[in-house]
Amino acid sequence: DTGVSQDPRHKITKRGQNVTFRCDPISEHNRLYWYRQTLGQGPEFLTYFQNEAQLEKSRLLSDRFSAERPKGSFSTLEIQRTEQGDSAMYLCASSLARGGMNTGELFFGEGSRLTVL
Amino acid sequence: AQSVTQLDSQVPVFEEAPVELRCNYSSSVSVYLFWYVQYPNQGLQLLLKYLSGSTLVESINGFEAEFNKSQTSFHLRKPSVHISDTAEYFCAVSFTGGFKTIFGAGTRLFVKA
């Protein structure tokens, strides 16, 4: 399977604990995105990487959230001191931008569902 | 600010009936437009897209959407739906020269036998 993969698919944690999600994009894609989706809403942009550089972060991304993409390959999204409001589906997507031109077409993984008790 | 509005949160329809899912966007710059579909327990996948050229775009499974610049709309239509079309549909917009894709809140299409 050469699609976007995310791990774990489901995570249940207690309030105050730290969690980390991993995303493996399509190998030739240079852009990687994290989105958050809550019930009844569309995906909300969190952050994106061009290769290994994190170029944009949403105001939704508080200081408790950190994302990395070492060497421009897989990415991790860590949430520290989780709160119940962090419960959501965390989606990873990747895309290929050539010469700085991006058509915006995203390829999504199946998501990591976080439940904070 | 750019935004996407999907006017219907749920659309129930009988099998073989036509359907239209409405989408309007707001932007001061040129856009690319998309419809993504999310089947139960699956990730989002691209259904169709408008980048340039013909304003009417089609998917392989019979959906079509028309870009209407004057009305800033990109409504999704299918002349005859199947049970298997039951899913959530998201309209999305990205901006030429930009990086971010903004999604609407989604429309749940429920096809009844």
Side-chain angles (χ1 to χ4, degrees):
Chain A
D1 185 20
T2 58
V4 178
S5 62
Q6 294 187 243
D7 182 71
R9 296 288 310 280
H10 304 274
K11 178 72 177 178
I12 299 173
T13 191
K14 293 182 179 179
R15 185 165 50 94
Q17 298 295 304
N18 299 342
V19 297
T20 299
F21 301 113
R22 177 181 169 123
C23 171
D24 287 272
I26 294 172
S27 58
E28 62 267 29
H29 284 182
N30 51 5
R31 288 190 175 180
L32 185 148
Y33 302 78
W34 286 99
Y35 281 81
R36 182 171 66 190
Q37 186 178 19
T38 53
L39 198 63
Q41 297 297 318
E44 297 174 295
F45 171 80
L46 292 179
T47 189
Y48 105 102
F49 293 82
Q50 172 90 18
N51 300 312
E52 67 276 7
Q54 187 176 18
L55 298 185
E56 182 74 16
K57 291 196 297 184
S58 165
R59 286 172 291 177
L60 293 174
L61 217 62
S62 76
D63 291 344
R64 297 184 296 105
F65 289 70
S66 62
E68 295 182 339
R69 192 184 182 197
K71 302 180 181 178
S73 55
F74 72 92
S75 176
T76 59
L77 176 68
E78 181 183 15
I79 309 173
Q80 297 182 325
R81 304 181 303 281
T82 52
E83 301 173 355
Q84 288 184 326
D86 297 330
S87 295
M89 178 76 85
Y90 290 86
L91 302 172
C92 177
S94 67
S95 71
L96 178 63
R98 292 194 178 93
M101 294 299 293
N102 182 26
T103 64
E105 181 177 351
L106 301 175
F107 295 80
F108 281 89
E110 294 187 339
S112 294
R113 182 173 295 282
L114 173 65
T115 301
V116 182
L117 302 176
Chain B
Q2 293 90 356
S3 64
V4 178
T5 302
Q6 292 185 244
L7 297 164
D8 306 293
S9 59
Q10 295 186 69
V11 175
V13 63
F14 285 104
E15 193 174 22
E16 298 183 6
V19 71
E20 178 181 80
L21 307 183
R22 296 177 293 170
C23 172
N24 287 89
Y25 69 92
S26 171
S27 174
S28 57
V29 298
S30 298
V31 298
Y32 301 132
L33 294 159
F34 307 85
W35 278 97
Y36 286 83
V37 59
Q38 187 173 30
Y39 298 104
N41 300 314
Q42 295 187 27
L44 277 81
Q45 54 189 281
L46 183 68
L47 183 63
L48 47 74
K49 61 184 178 183
Y50 168 78
L51 302 181
S52 64
S54 172
T55 58
L56 184 66
V57 292
E58 299 177 352
S59 73
I60 58 173
N61 59 350
F63 283 93
E64 64 179 29
E66 186 161 19
F67 170 50
N68 187 319
K69 188 174 182 180
S70 63
Q71 297 186 4
T72 60
S73 68
F74 192 56
H75 301 331
L76 181 70
R77 303 183 182 94
K78 188 170 185 180
S80 175
V81 295
H82 301 291
I83 297 284
S84 60
D85 293 325
T86 294
E88 186 137 25
Y89 293 79
F90 294 94
C91 182
V93 58
S94 71
F95 310 98
T96 57
F99 63 88
K100 187 187 302 185
T101 299
I102 295 175
F103 288 83
T107 297
R108 183 169 297 279
L109 176 64
F110 180 58
V111 182
K112 302 178 285 186

